């Protein structure tokens, strides 16, 4: 697969008088996993929704390989796992995989317990099972980049290791941006890190950067 570079820059998000993002920025390259850190309310999900066109913002600039991305077809190049539910509650699992162009049985080969859920609507799955199915759905779909917002939520420790392995595998030919409150999982899978604080995104080069931006305590 050819190398690609995604840049999201100058993201400005305001709700009334509240500034959520004043200078949101992140970049991703195929062959790498980029982690995005930040405390609750810092604006991580807002930046992703701005990128995908799901949030009206004051400003956002998105380019791929140095060219502006056509926002009408951004979903062809970038697949997004939102923080909330991706698959509608009443939709059957196999139908969701069909819509995303992913072979359901290829997924079952990786997660055999889902063989019994082929005709199950998503609401019949546990929260952890649903999250796992949605994660596989996104990461096995055809795209250059994947954005994962809280992929480890409700996923048990055994499956977290499987998810991390899948992220590493898919990152060999794709660019992946991932954010989660599970700092250990993010830091162990990411090739580089960014942190959002006070409305701006900054690269993380060492642990002290996270302390300085208020993400970690000195004794954390």
């Amino acid at each position: 697969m050819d190398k690609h570079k995604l840049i999201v820059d100058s993201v400005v998000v305001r709700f009334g008088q509240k500034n959520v993002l004043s200078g949101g920025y992140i970049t991703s390259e195929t062959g790498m996993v980029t982690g995005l850190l930040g405390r609750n309310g810092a604006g991580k999900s807002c930046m992703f929704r701005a990128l995908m066109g799901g949030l009206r913002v004051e400003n956002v600039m998105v380019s791929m390989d140095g060219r502006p991305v056509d926002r009408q077809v951004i979903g062809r190049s970038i697949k997004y796992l939102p923080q909330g539910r991706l698959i509608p509650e009443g939709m059957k699992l196999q139908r969701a995989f069909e819509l995303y162009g992913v072979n359901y049985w290829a997924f079952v080969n990786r997660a055999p317990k889902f063989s019994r859920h082929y005709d199950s609507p998503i609401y019949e799955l546990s929260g952890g099972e649903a999250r796992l199915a949605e994660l596989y759905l996104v990461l096995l779909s055809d795209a250059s980049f994947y954005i994962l917002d809280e992929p480890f939520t409700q996923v048990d420790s055994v499956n977290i290791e499987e998810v991390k392995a899948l992220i590493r595998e898919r990152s060999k030919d794709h660019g992946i941006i991932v954010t989660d409150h599970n700092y250990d999982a993010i830091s162990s899978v990411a090739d580089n890190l960014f942190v959002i604080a006070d409305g701006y995104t900054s690269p993380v080069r060492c642990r002290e950067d996270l302390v300085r931006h208020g993400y970690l305590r000195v004794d954390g």
Side-chain angles (χ1 to χ4, degrees), residues 5-209:
K5 185 172 183 177
L6 173 71
I7 297 176
V8 185
D9 198 3
S10 305
V11 184
V12 178
V13 179
R14 293 189 179 94
F15 297 122
Q17 298 300 312
K18 181 181 179 181
N19 292 339
V20 178
L21 290 172
S22 302
Y25 169 86
I26 199 164
T27 182
S28 176
E29 297 182 35
T30 49
M32 296 183 67
V33 179
T34 297
L36 179 62
L37 303 171
R39 292 191 173 277
N40 284 336
K44 304 183 297 297
S45 295
C46 286
M47 185 156 68
F48 294 157
R49 291 170 61 201
L51 158 63
M52 298 304 297
L55 179 66
R56 181 173 294 180
V57 299
E58 291 199 13
N59 192 67
V60 59
M61 298 173 63
V62 183
S63 65
M64 190 179 299
D65 303 330
R67 298 184 297 274
V69 175
D70 184 343
R71 308 304 300 285
Q72 300 299 316
V73 295
I74 198 168
R76 296 179 186 174
S77 300
I78 305 170
K79 292 297 190 293
Y80 172 45
L81 177 71
Q83 187 175 9
R85 178 68 66 235
L86 173 65
I87 303 173
E89 291 292 326
M91 181 176 288
K92 292 184 177 181
L93 211 50
Q94 59 87 10
R95 177 57 176 160
F97 275 71
E98 179 183 328
L99 290 173
Y100 267 68
V102 179
N103 186 302
Y104 186 82
W105 299 110
F107 162 55
V108 170
N109 284 338
R110 294 169 176 266
K113 68 179 181 180
F114 283 91
S115 61
R116 65 181 184 272
H117 289 306
Y118 179 79
D119 282 322
S120 299
I122 196 73
Y123 70 79
E124 290 186 357
L125 277 63
S126 70
E129 288 174 332
R131 197 58 173 168
L132 202 59
E134 291 177 337
L135 181 66
Y136 273 91
L137 176 65
V138 169
L139 284 175
L140 295 178
S141 62
D142 183 21
S144 297
F145 295 92
Y146 305 117
I147 296 177
L148 312 176
D149 193 347
E150 303 285 350
F152 304 115
T153 298
Q154 296 184 296
V155 178
D156 61 38
S157 57
V158 173
N159 284 316
I160 282 178
E161 293 306 312
E162 294 179 4
V163 169
K164 287 163 60 177
L166 178 63
I167 289 173
R168 292 191 190 98
E169 174 191 330
R170 297 297 285 169
S171 71
K172 294 176 182 177
D173 297 309
H174 304 80
I176 300 178
I177 299 174
V178 56
T179 186
D180 202 278
H181 293 299
N182 190 330
Y183 170 70
D184 290 335
I186 292 290
S187 59
S188 66
V189 78
D191 298 298
N192 61 341
L193 292 169
F194 289 84
V195 62
I196 295 182
D198 301 321
Y200 293 88
T201 312
S202 303
V204 176
R205 298 181 178 86
C206 61
R207 183 183 179 85
E208 286 70 26
D209 288 337

